[in-house]
Amino acid sequence: MESVRVIPCLDVRAGRVVKGVNFLALRDAGDPVALGAYYESQGADELVFLDINASIEGRATLIELVRRCAESVFIPLTVGGGVDSIASAEALLRAGADKVSVNSSAVAEPNLISDLAQRFGRQCVVVAVDARRRHDRFVVVTHGGRRETEIDALEWVSRVTELGAGEILVTSMDRDGTKDGYDLALLASISSAVNVPIIASGGVGKQQDFVDGVLQGGAQGLLAASVFHFGELSIASVKTALSDAGISVRQTGEPDGDIHASRT
């Protein structure tokens, strides 16, 4: 079994890391460059940097801030927010990102996914899927949870995989920031529907939630924010819990293959 990745998430607004509940009531959590370097020192396997207001404000991601983050860490860095073209993705990759994440722009123009995969390779393309429960199914939401679509989340993940997504970042909008645990039904449904790695996001509050994300949700990546930002859990304690449950985890300094090939 491939080693599971533990991934802190840096939700950035106005140059600062923030975190709230259901993307609302945001609290300041610190400087993204300092936090990124700290998490790498603590054994994080990857980092996700999301400019959470870029799509809402109709602008590109904060390139210079991404550059500073990339210069401070040597683990894979995924950047999202405002990626709506080959040019915007290339700018982030040139600034030091290893992968780009697309969400709202991919919903608006699905062929962007295939364009990115053809230009940069599907290993560089992460499709973020924000989903919310609606009765007996899950629907896709965009623009930081502000716009609900009629798109069925399971149908969408199958489509984006066919288009060239190399990885899917699944966030439960219902669970985000609640600390009630990942939405395991959502994760299990998606992991069964596609053959690319799934990153679980939204709702972790304790170590067991990470374990359940793998054993019950089928995730290969485990993303969290507030429990790390505010010192409730450490990356080391999470990896210990995963290992104790028989789950393979990466050790600090373990090679990540050629994912850094995009850095120039």
Side-chain angles (χ1 to χ4, degrees):
M1 177 173 128
E2 184 178 348
S3 296
V4 168
R5 294 164 288 152
V6 178
I7 308 171
C9 183
L10 308 178
D11 293 315
V12 177
R13 185 182 70 169
R16 299 286 293 179
V17 176
V18 295
K19 189 58 189 172
V21 178
N22 306 132
F23 284 25
L24 302 172
L26 301 176
R27 298 167 56 193
D28 185 274
D31 173 67
V33 178
L35 276 176
Y38 171 75
Y39 288 138
E40 180 179 37
S41 74
Q42 296 302 299
D45 300 306
E46 296 187 14
L47 286 174
V48 169
F49 176 114
L50 298 177
D51 187 341
I52 62 174
N53 273 13
S55 292
I56 298 167
E57 297 172 0
R59 60 168 173 78
T61 304
L62 303 171
I63 296 292
E64 187 54 36
L65 189 56
V66 170
R67 191 186 313 279
R68 289 172 51 217
C69 285
E71 289 173 349
S72 300
V73 301
F74 295 93
I75 53 177
L77 175 65
T78 297
V79 180
V83 179
D84 59 3
S85 65
I86 292 288
S88 59
E90 185 167 24
L92 291 173
L93 293 170
R94 287 187 177 278
D98 298 290
K99 296 180 273 189
V100 293
S101 173
V102 291
N103 187 339
S104 303
S105 56
V107 173
E109 182 46 70
N111 286 336
L112 174 63
I113 301 167
S114 54
D115 290 344
L116 292 171
Q118 290 170 15
R119 174 67 177 82
F120 305 112
R122 68 185 302 157
Q123 79 283 352
C124 288
V125 182
V126 179
V127 174
V129 177
D130 295 341
R132 179 172 288 140
R133 284 179 180 267
R134 184 194 286 174
H135 306 300
D136 60 347
R137 69 189 187 108
F138 296 97
V139 295
V140 173
V141 295
T142 65
H143 296 81
R146 291 168 172 80
R147 300 183 190 177
E148 190 169 298
T149 74
E150 295 297 323
I151 302 171
D152 182 90
L154 294 183
E155 294 176 3
W156 178 237
V157 296
S158 295
R159 186 179 181 194
V160 303
T161 304
E162 292 172 358
L163 287 168
E167 214 166 31
I168 299 176
L169 169 58
V170 183
T171 299
S172 166
M173 294 301 299
D174 303 303
R175 297 293 184 96
D176 179 74
T178 66
K179 301 181 184 176
D180 291 332
Y182 294 126
D183 190 321
L184 299 175
L186 172 64
L187 292 176
S189 296
I190 289 179
S191 63
S192 297
V194 300
N195 59 359
V196 299
I198 301 299
I199 301 172
S201 171
V204 290
K206 57 185 183 299
Q207 292 173 358
Q208 186 62 39
D209 294 335
F210 290 90
V211 174
D212 292 342
V214 178
L215 299 183
Q216 297 184 47
Q220 291 84 32
L222 301 165
L223 183 144
S226 60
V227 291
F228 293 145
H229 297 339
F230 303 119
E232 297 163 42
L233 293 175
S234 69
I235 293 169
S237 69
V238 168
K239 287 193 170 185
T240 296
L242 290 166
S243 182
D244 288 347
I247 298 167
S248 176
V249 295
R250 294 181 182 177
Q251 303 301 314
T252 302
E254 184 176 330
D256 295 304
D258 60 356
I259 190 63
H260 295 292
S262 62
R263 292 198 182 182
T264 57

